[in-house]
Amino acid sequence: MGCLYTSVLFLGIVYASSVQPVVDIERTVFYRERAAGMYSALPYAFAQVVVEIPYIFSQAVVFGLIVYAMIGFDWTVVKFFWFMFIMFCCLLYMTYFGMMSVAVTPNTEIASVVAAAFYGLWNLFSGYIIPEPKIPVWWRWYYWADPMAWTQYGLVVSQLGDFDSLLNNGETVKEYLRHYYGFKHDFIGVVAGVHVGFVVIFAVIFSFCIKSFNFQKR
């Protein structure tokens, strides 16, 4: 779980941060071409969203194969598919989040500050440092709104959520995950749907903001 947690956190932040200066530079070109009547906002935004998919997919496959083999997860088609799907969606929504943070702010400096605030909150409420059952009830809503919490949930239950091996306290792995972390193996379908939802939400907000906001100073 520690390996999966650090992988999601580190890679997600790297992907979101590295895309920000690229989007900022491309946005300057977009302003110029749109003023000349060459670019339409929505096709431009859609192209930026779609072009990231093959790159992120190939990187997720390379990372997933290495990590999956080194950790020693079960080599079953279903578990490997879930691992790759959730990692791919995680890298994708974090990339779109980085793009979105640039689209709603004037420059990369402000975008990085805004994004860093979310990184800290997402890290705190991811469910690893403080498990969901131990989070105060009035803050638990943020756990369910935290994309990294859903990724952590999906990766853990897809690989360990059906294990019946006994731990030293007499519980099975499945029972321990359920009572200590609140992870349920039969919830994996909902987790997958939420991941797709985060990808779509961040991509749509990015597209809308690129179309609606103009931070050009002239």
Side-chain angles (χ1 to χ4, degrees):
M1 284 186 64
C3 178
L4 296 176
Y5 162 73
T6 52
S7 297
V8 169
L9 181 67
F10 177 76
L11 285 178
I13 293 175
V14 168
Y15 272 62
S17 301
S18 61
V19 79
Q20 288 175 342
V22 177
V23 174
D24 188 41
I25 294 172
E26 291 177 346
R27 182 172 59 178
T28 304
V29 178
F30 167 69
Y31 286 153
R32 183 188 65 194
E33 298 300 328
R34 184 172 64 177
M38 296 296 293
Y39 282 4
S40 181
L42 290 181
Y44 168 82
F46 179 75
Q48 269 200 308
V49 167
V50 172
V51 77
E52 296 290 344
I53 295 176
Y55 291 104
I56 294 173
F57 179 76
S58 60
Q59 292 164 6
V61 168
V62 172
F63 173 82
L65 285 172
I66 295 172
V67 170
Y68 200 90
M70 291 185 70
I71 293 178
F73 288 135
D74 288 345
W75 285 101
T76 63
V77 174
V78 174
K79 288 193 172 185
F80 183 70
F81 166 80
W82 280 121
F83 183 87
M84 294 302 304
F85 174 78
I86 294 171
M87 278 304 306
F88 170 64
C89 286
C90 172
L91 300 181
L92 198 59
Y93 74 64
M94 286 302 294
T95 301
Y96 291 163
F97 172 76
M99 295 165 62
M100 182 192 74
S101 64
V102 174
V104 300
T105 54
N107 52 56
T108 53
E109 289 77 15
I110 297 178
S112 61
V113 172
V114 172
F118 282 93
Y119 301 152
L121 290 172
W122 287 353
N123 180 30
L124 179 62
F125 288 94
S126 65
Y128 181 76
I129 299 174
I130 308 173
E132 183 266 335
K134 297 185 181 297
I135 297 175
V137 174
W138 55 87
W139 273 115
R140 210 166 286 174
W141 63 270
Y142 200 91
Y143 170 85
W144 296 111
D146 185 344
M148 287 188 178
W150 286 95
T151 300
Q152 180 79 5
Y153 194 131
L155 290 175
V156 173
V157 298
S158 66
Q159 304 305 314
L160 307 175
D162 60 345
F163 275 19
D164 292 319
S165 305
L166 288 175
L167 302 174
N168 292 333
N169 61 1
E171 286 184 305
T172 64
V173 174
K174 178 167 59 177
E175 292 169 345
Y176 176 76
L177 290 176
R178 180 181 288 264
H179 101 262
Y180 187 77
Y181 287 100
F183 291 167
K184 302 175 183 177
H185 185 260
D186 54 3
F187 203 57
I188 188 68
V190 177
V191 174
V194 171
H195 274 80
V196 174
F198 278 122
V199 170
V200 173
I201 288 171
F202 290 152
V204 169
I205 294 176
F206 164 74
S207 303
F208 174 79
C209 293
I210 281 290
K211 179 180 183 297
S212 303
F213 298 160
N214 190 336
F215 297 104
Q216 194 174 30
K217 296 179 180 178
R218 294 178 69 161

